[in-house]
Amino acid sequence: MTIMVIGSANMDLIIQVEHIPSPGETILGGQFLTASGGKGANQAVASARLGSDVCFVSCVGEDSFGETLINNYRKDNINIKHIKRSSEPSGVAMIYVAQNGENSIAVAPGANTLLTPQDLDKLTTQFAHSQIVLTQLETPLETIMRAGELAKSNQCLFVLNPAPAQSLPDTLYPLIDIITPNETEAALLTGIEVKDESSALMAAKVLFNRGVSNVIITMGAQGAFFYDGNTAKLIPTHKVAAIDTTAAGDTFNGALVSALAQNNTLLEAIAFANKAAALSVTKLGAQSSIPYLDEITHSTSHI
């Protein structure tokens, strides 16, 4: 089944550091590297590497970063015909990665802000041929809202990863088939601090009662909590030595929809996504850390 990913594309500028600098602190870092990033692009790459037919809808600049980003998507066999080019600079993310694997990120969205509802209205044929639509919140909220409306009218499964965290309009929730916040995002959306299964269930019920069909709260090393009004279950993840957590959530989301597109049940898809995300944190970078399907298959014995 075809997956349409609608979202952001950034060039990541990464510095490895001993610890995340405090305000006013200057530290000498280690390795510097550039890598393709952006939540939308990361999730599109994850879905494609895990065996799915992916169309990526985004906006990048008419600059060298934009050209590099598009060329990288081609390498992963992603359909790029609906990537818009703009005179606005491509989005850029500045990322500090600490030795313990934690990161700190600042984003200049650039061309990502220019992906409009009108751009999506031109994609009638693509929506009609897509079974799953996956979005995030690094593009304008009105564009996400239109994506949900078009997904619903075309009988597509609409999946929202509500990241970075922000408040959502009440009218968006009933359009969402699956929502995938992490603990921080779930807390912002519901006002409930998520720490364990009990608090995750409370937060999930709030989102479910707003009209979301299925709630998946990703909880880092604890795993992912699922709730659909009947089943409430924590699906555990795999213990690994984390090097860099950048794009772990994006890998989870891309893997989730890829597994669904390949006719797995939702619980099976969550378990598969947990494994993919666990593998991603054992490598440095965003898209460079996203595993391929054979890596997950070969990791069965040791993850």
Side-chain angles (χ1 to χ4, degrees):
M1 297 192 292
T2 300
I3 297 169
M4 184 193 303
V5 179
I6 302 170
S8 57
N10 293 327
M11 182 61 77
D12 291 348
L13 309 179
I14 305 164
I15 302 177
Q16 291 178 280
V17 291
E18 185 179 71
H19 64 274
I20 305 299
S22 302
E25 181 184 14
T26 299
I27 60 176
L28 292 177
Q31 182 182 5
F32 169 78
L33 65 152
T34 61
S36 298
K39 286 189 169 297
N42 294 343
Q43 294 178 20
V45 168
S47 296
R49 289 185 183 174
L50 296 172
S52 294
D53 180 10
V54 178
C55 173
F56 183 38
V57 179
S58 188
C59 183
V60 301
E62 295 172 342
D63 50 22
S64 59
F65 282 168
E67 202 63 40
T68 299
L69 292 172
I70 288 176
N71 286 335
N72 287 341
Y73 308 147
R74 286 195 184 99
K75 293 175 185 175
D76 280 306
N77 297 313
I78 293 171
N79 181 338
I80 59 169
K81 67 180 179 180
H82 298 309
I83 296 179
K84 179 180 172 182
R85 301 299 295 269
S86 166
S87 57
E88 189 79 11
S90 296
V92 173
M94 304 289 294
I95 304 175
Y96 293 114
V97 179
Q99 287 181 354
N100 65 0
E102 293 301 312
N103 61 57
S104 176
I105 306 173
V107 178
N112 291 301
T113 62
L114 301 180
L115 187 66
T116 67
Q118 292 73 31
D119 292 324
L120 301 190
D121 287 336
K122 300 173 185 176
L123 307 181
T124 306
T125 302
Q126 187 62 56
F127 272 96
H129 287 87
S130 298
Q131 282 73 41
I132 301 174
V133 175
L134 171 61
T135 64
Q136 321 76 32
L137 298 176
E138 287 186 335
T139 47
L141 195 53
E142 59 265 26
T143 306
I144 304 308
M145 188 74 193
R146 187 59 180 148
E149 293 168 349
L150 289 167
K152 187 67 69 176
S153 64
N154 284 276
Q155 289 80 52
C156 304
L157 187 75
F158 183 56
V159 183
L160 175 66
N161 175 222
Q166 61 177 282
S167 298
L168 301 175
D170 291 340
T171 51
L172 179 57
Y173 289 102
L175 300 175
I176 303 170
D177 294 299
I178 303 173
I179 194 167
T180 61
N182 63 20
E183 303 112 303
T184 301
E185 293 146 7
L188 184 142
L189 293 173
T190 67
I192 297 169
E193 187 175 3
V194 177
K195 291 184 175 180
D196 50 25
E197 285 188 63
S198 175
S199 54
L201 177 58
M202 291 171 60
K205 284 183 175 180
V206 171
L207 296 172
F208 180 82
N209 290 334
R210 289 178 186 168
V212 179
S213 301
N214 300 275
V215 180
I216 301 170
I217 301 176
T218 56
M219 301 175 66
Q222 293 185 68
F225 184 84
F226 171 71
Y227 181 71
D228 66 354
N230 295 307
T231 301
K233 182 174 179 133
L234 179 67
I235 295 91
T237 190
H238 306 266
K239 297 189 183 303
V240 295
I243 294 174
D244 180 6
T245 58
T246 306
D250 296 333
T251 301
F252 179 94
N253 281 275
L256 178 78
V257 296
S258 185
L260 291 173
Q262 294 167 50
N263 297 315
N264 289 277
T265 68
L266 196 42
L267 290 177
E268 290 170 341
I270 293 170
F272 178 78
N274 275 342
K275 180 173 286 190
L279 277 174
S280 76
V281 304
T282 64
K283 299 179 185 177
L284 188 66
Q287 287 169 32
S288 57
S289 71
I290 296 172
Y292 291 85
L293 187 57
D294 62 342
E295 292 181 74
I296 295 180
T297 303
H298 294 152
S299 71
T300 302
S301 61
H302 64 272
I303 188 172

